[in-house]
Amino acid sequence: RFQDGQVVALQSRSVFRINDYQFNQAAPEKGQSFLALLQGGARIVTGLIGTSNRQGWKLALPTVTAGIRGTDFLALIRDTTSYFKVKLGSIVATNGGGSAVFTAGQNALADNATVVARSVTDAELPAGLFGELESMSLTGSLSGPASGTGTAAGAMIGPVPAWAVGLG
């Protein structure tokens, strides 16, 4: 759980990096959260940075970068493909092929860094792909921001047994 109320829950054997995180409760619109999922999967619920400064929130994966629009979503890497499942809000997936927006209830994949991400149905996803991430309960984790300010850069979390949270 981060100071702005954002929650990142990691699937087992995931590698996650905080590239840059800056938050001041008095000025959340100036915050930034630049994260990277290098291996495995994550469920992410954005906080005040994601709602106050959408341009200041990004998640990098090997084939695509996700931006958000007030979101609860799953991101997962399998082999060389990046997958998303949007639970609430929407994400914009951007890479060398362009940008595509995916909304609540949609799945997406980006299997190449030069081809725009595309929508896929549940039936088109590998069986059980999001199983561990969807079984995570984040109840009680979304109570809002912690007080004060926070800064982190280059922090790395990984591999973890079930799920881990960021700063907070």
Side-chain angles (χ1 to χ4, degrees):
R1 182 169 137 84
F2 289 71
Q3 289 181 325
D4 72 323
Q6 170 179 219
V7 175
V8 176
L10 299 176
Q11 175 179 290
S12 57
R13 293 179 298 282
S14 292
V15 178
F16 175 81
R17 182 174 55 221
I18 302 167
N19 291 328
D20 188 18
Y21 180 81
Q22 297 178 35
F23 175 71
N24 182 331
Q25 190 170 357
E29 70 282 358
K30 294 180 181 177
Q32 38 186 38
S33 182
F34 299 136
L35 312 173
L37 182 62
L38 306 171
Q39 174 184 314
R43 179 170 177 192
I44 299 170
V45 178
T46 58
L48 287 176
I49 293 171
T51 57
S52 301
N53 181 15
R54 292 179 181 166
Q55 298 303 322
W57 196 99
K58 291 184 178 34
L59 173 68
L61 289 86
T63 58
V64 67
T65 297
I68 49 84
R69 294 182 167 98
T71 307
D72 175 353
F73 71 103
L74 312 174
L76 191 135
I77 302 162
R78 181 173 284 178
D79 298 320
T80 60
T81 302
S82 301
Y83 295 91
F84 298 100
K85 179 180 275 289
V86 182
K87 305 291 256 174
L88 179 68
S90 64
I91 64 168
V92 59
T94 303
N95 63 13
S99 296
V101 175
F102 303 97
T103 60
Q106 286 189 298
N107 305 312
L109 71 81
D111 54 6
N112 185 308
T114 60
V115 177
V116 69
R118 62 185 172 88
S119 180
V120 292
T121 65
D122 285 339
E124 294 174 282
L125 294 173
L129 182 71
F130 291 112
E132 183 178 347
L133 292 171
E134 289 188 302
S135 69
M136 293 176 179
S137 173
L138 301 182
T139 305
S141 299
L142 308 177
S143 60
S147 62
T149 61
T151 301
M156 190 123 175
I157 300 170
V160 294
W163 67 285
V165 294
L167 304 172

